[in-house]
Amino acid sequence: LQTGKQWSNEHVARERFQECMTKEQPRRDAQGNMMVSNKGKELLLDERLARINLKRKGVAPDGNCLYRALAHGSQMDWATLKANIFHVMGENPKYRKQFEAEVAMEFESFD
């Protein structure tokens, strides 16, 4: 990264991505699409988020990461949010059926 200049988050992310891409030659899949490493994908995501003044936030991978991520943008803690979601799903057969089809298990057995 260049010093002595003010760079926006977008410029920083773009420069980091370019550094990453020059260190490893991009591979292409059978259709000719560029295959990007996970680090490259993260940098692309950072760039897109920077354009709308957002950034990634790490969440503990503890099995409740979805609820922790959703709670980050709300006024509830993750456990309360999870309990509310399951309450609504339990009360609404449509949501319950969709959930059971998606996770291939009975609603009552899910914690």
Side-chain angles (χ1 to χ4, degrees), residues 36-37 42 49 58 64 66 71 82 84-85 91 96 100 110:
V36 181
S37 67
E42 289 176 3
L49 290 172
N64 290 305
L66 171 65
K82 180 179 179 178
N84 288 345
I85 289 170
E91 296 290 315
R96 182 180 173 145
E100 289 175 337
F110 193 80

Side-chain angles (χ1 to χ4, degrees), residues 1-20:
L1 298 175
Q2 293 186 9
T3 56
K5 293 184 179 180
Q6 264 191 313
W7 290 89
S8 69
N9 288 342
E10 181 179 344
H11 287 104
V12 171
R14 185 178 309 247
E15 196 161 308
R16 285 185 187 156
F17 176 71
Q18 291 301 325
E19 286 174 10
C20 181

